Amino acid sequence: MHVRRVISVASFSLVLALSVGGLSYAQSKELAERLGYPANAKLLIIHADDLGLAHSVDQASFAALEQKAVSSASIMVPCPWLSEVAAYAKAHPQADLGLHLTLTSEWKTYRWGPVASRDQVRGLLDPMGYLWPDVPPVVENASAEEVEREIRAQVDEAIRAGIKPTHLDSHMGTLFANPAFFAAYVKVAHEYGVPFFAPRVPNAPKEVLALAEKNGFLLDGFAMAGEQLTPEGWQAFYAGVLRSLKPGVTELIVHLGHDDAELQAIAVDHPAYGSAWRQRDFDVMTSPEFKKALEENHITLIGWNDLKKLL
Amino acid sequence: MHVRRVISVASFSLVLALSVGGLSYAQSKELAERLGYPANAKLLIIHADDLGLAHSVDQASFAALEQKAVSSASIMVPCPWLSEVAAYAKAHPQADLGLHLTLTSEWKTYRWGPVASRDQVRGLLDPMGYLWPDVPPVVENASAEEVEREIRAQVDEAIRAGIKPTHLDSHMGTLFANPAFFAAYVKVAHEYGVPFFAPRVPNAPKEVLALAEKNGFLLDGFAMAGEQLTPEGWQAFYAGVLRSLKPGVTELIVHLGHDDAELQAIAVDHPAYGSAWRQRDFDVMTSPEFKKALEENHITLIGWNDLKKLL
């Protein structure tokens, strides 16, 4: 694992559990140099999460990818709109699309089940046979074998759909929530030879860390809008991320969508990371002001496909 | 089975395969009399198909149910929006909601799998693990045991979600496409004591017909807009259905939705029963003109919950 700074699972999970936001940085600039940039280069992956979740999310994310407003994105394979994303991937073979490995189905009105056969992943399922709505019941009920079976099924399903994933990461950080899940993630990523987003997981066995060194990337920093961000604070938050960006590779995770009837219904009763939230992210990412701020701060956008070349 | 007129599977499947439309009628008025109406009463179930398919479909169907523009509807249990429909059903316990037993996943961008564990219903699945996109591959690949397992799982799942189905019918008529599938349908409907929409299926074994007599209803007529209907012909088609309605119980099957981004994306490349189509159905069903025509033609709306009382 290309570890630059220890981000504890606890704080990382908090970020991915959508309760805090901000930046965290490593000291070393090694990754930038390995990518062929000067040690002080400010490299940024702007990463759209949750493709496949909804048509609204797909359309906003495709538009942002087309405009190079985001440089990478990842796909939720068990979600209903996978075929729409697969068609986009086939039509845009250069698009930097990874898999947002998904072990939760967290909305109220709109649910999905596993890709694996239900009988083989019972611990991943709520009483309705959908994936659990949050991370804690996954940790409580699922075995590492079930987790491995399901994420392997998701990678296989994506490949079957014609997608060539540039990287793997974990929806809501579920795979970083315990060392055995993390080991399954590292094992699958290693077998398929795909780079993966890697936080340092405490108590992970040495052999897992050894495997992770082969194709795991712990970036120099990451940033994501936190649950407490108010609509008025949107532009200032993102302007601040760019202004304070440190040298090295940072990932900025965004959630894009159009604030329309479909997305409003999916995110009902959940303003954080909801419909208007995703529209605001889309509006800022595609704004001329944001583009100008990237230039003014001498920031270069890169993707996971650049990291993949280092393997 | 309360058989009034033999509708062959061939012609019935053609209707449900969305290639023809119109009316077919039985001679007897027995069902109307059993419901407590005069023999010459014109009784109509206006039935909205496909609840659960999409938020757009749900919202239009809920609105039409609220306005009593439709008198009954049925739910696609494997579809992503089941939870939205279940919440509606709980909030509206008098709503006449049946199950639109679903063995196909027919759209391009947006797919769903079975409710049963995939390993137990392999013959129902396409290579991606979704339900087949059309009826012929289901008939070719699925066994009657797999069909029974899946429809039983769908009824159980609906009950688990808090839905008390008033009736069962078959999405795209798949369950009427061969006698063994029909036998599974009759068996499950009988076990759960739920009325079901029943065409006469040639070569169905006598014991199946005996079971079907207990709670199957072959209505006196049914009508559905056919694929060839042009937008200009919409109002005239439905006005004609009402004008020429014969005495007895007729079911008018409609497909409601709002012509919005979500539904346009689901029905991409498929104008028949697509997004604008469903908006037209919604517009006519909720129009004052249609309501007036119901009155002028002395038509009484009934639901499957009325038929259920006859069991």
Side-chain angles (χ1 to χ4, degrees), chain A residues 83-99:
Chain A
S83 302
E84 180 173 66
V85 183
Y88 178 84
K90 280 181 204 168
H92 301 83
Q94 301 312 313
D96 188 351
L97 298 172
L99 304 184

Side-chain angles (χ1 to χ4, degrees), chain B:
Chain B
M1 200 174 356
H2 307 284
V3 178
R4 264 138 215 103
R5 181 175 179 274
V6 174
I7 301 178
S8 77
V9 170
S11 70
F12 186 80
S13 293
L14 274 175
V15 172
L16 289 189
L18 317 179
S19 57
V20 299
L23 287 165
S24 50
Y25 282 103
Q27 300 308 313
S28 161
K29 285 101 202 172
E30 189 198 315
L31 191 51
E33 290 171 320
R34 289 177 60 214
L35 286 164
Y37 292 92
N40 65 347
K42 293 191 268 186
L43 306 175
L44 183 64
I45 300 171
I46 305 185
H47 188 275
D49 277 10
D50 300 353
L51 273 67
L53 166 62
H55 175 67
S56 174
V57 167
D58 291 351
Q59 289 313 109
S61 303
F62 298 162
L65 284 162
E66 296 298 288
Q67 297 174 42
K68 301 190 192 303
V70 300
S71 57
S72 184
S74 64
I75 305 165
M76 297 174 75
V77 177
C79 288
W81 292 90
L82 174 68
S83 301
E84 180 173 64
V85 183
Y88 178 84
K90 279 181 205 167
H92 300 83
Q94 302 311 315
D96 188 352
L97 297 172
L99 304 183
H100 202 46
L101 297 170
T102 299
L103 300 176
T104 48
S105 168
E106 69 273 26
W107 306 102
K108 273 174 64 173
T109 50
Y110 178 80
R111 308 291 309 275
W112 52 85
V115 172
S117 192
R118 284 188 168 88
D119 275 355
Q120 296 181 22
V121 292
R122 283 285 159 205
L124 284 171
L125 309 183
D126 75 3
M128 286 291 291
Y130 299 125
L131 295 171
W132 290 107
D134 203 356
V135 178
V138 187
V139 175
E140 195 173 327
N141 294 286
S143 69
E145 290 70 29
E146 289 172 319
V147 166
E148 180 178 334
R149 205 170 286 141
E150 176 59 21
I151 64 177
R152 195 183 293 279
Q154 292 186 12
V155 177
D156 287 340
E157 179 86 338
I159 292 169
R160 205 177 291 123
I163 295 164
K164 298 182 177 106
T166 57
H167 64 292
L168 304 180
D169 58 23
S170 172
H171 183 57
M172 294 173 71
T174 316
L175 290 164
F176 314 138
N178 95 23
F181 291 4
F182 183 65
Y185 171 64
V186 170
K187 182 180 170 192
V188 170
H190 174 62
E191 281 179 25
Y192 288 86
V194 182
F196 62 96
F197 184 97
R200 175 171 282 277
V201 172
N203 307 319
K206 278 206 183 71
E207 59 273 23
V208 169
L209 295 177
L211 269 184
E213 272 175 26
K214 292 185 200 283
N215 55 342
F217 290 96
L218 178 58
L219 307 181
D220 299 304
F222 70 92
M224 186 170 88
E227 229 172 52
Q228 296 84 354
L229 190 60
T230 58
E232 303 72 38
W234 231 258
Q235 284 199 301
F237 169 75
Y238 285 112
V241 167
L242 299 191
R243 213 168 37 237
S244 57
L245 203 74
K246 298 282 191 302
V249 178
T250 299
E251 177 160 298
L252 171 61
I253 296 172
V254 295
H255 298 85
L256 307 183
H258 293 312
D259 185 18
D260 62 10
E262 177 199 22
L263 198 49
Q264 286 166 16
I266 290 174
V268 63
D269 299 340
H270 202 292
Y273 307 91
S275 188
W277 177 296
R278 290 172 192 246
Q279 181 70 58
R280 286 193 293 273
D281 262 11
F282 178 79
D283 290 344
V284 170
M285 288 305 120
T286 57
S287 68
E289 293 78 11
F290 188 80
K291 194 173 181 183
K292 198 172 158 216
L294 284 168
E295 288 163 11
E296 286 173 352
N297 288 289
H298 309 289
I299 294 166
T300 302
L301 294 192
I302 64 164
W304 278 93
N305 47 14
D306 294 303
L307 296 176
K308 199 175 183 184
K309 290 175 198 152
L310 299 182
L311 294 186

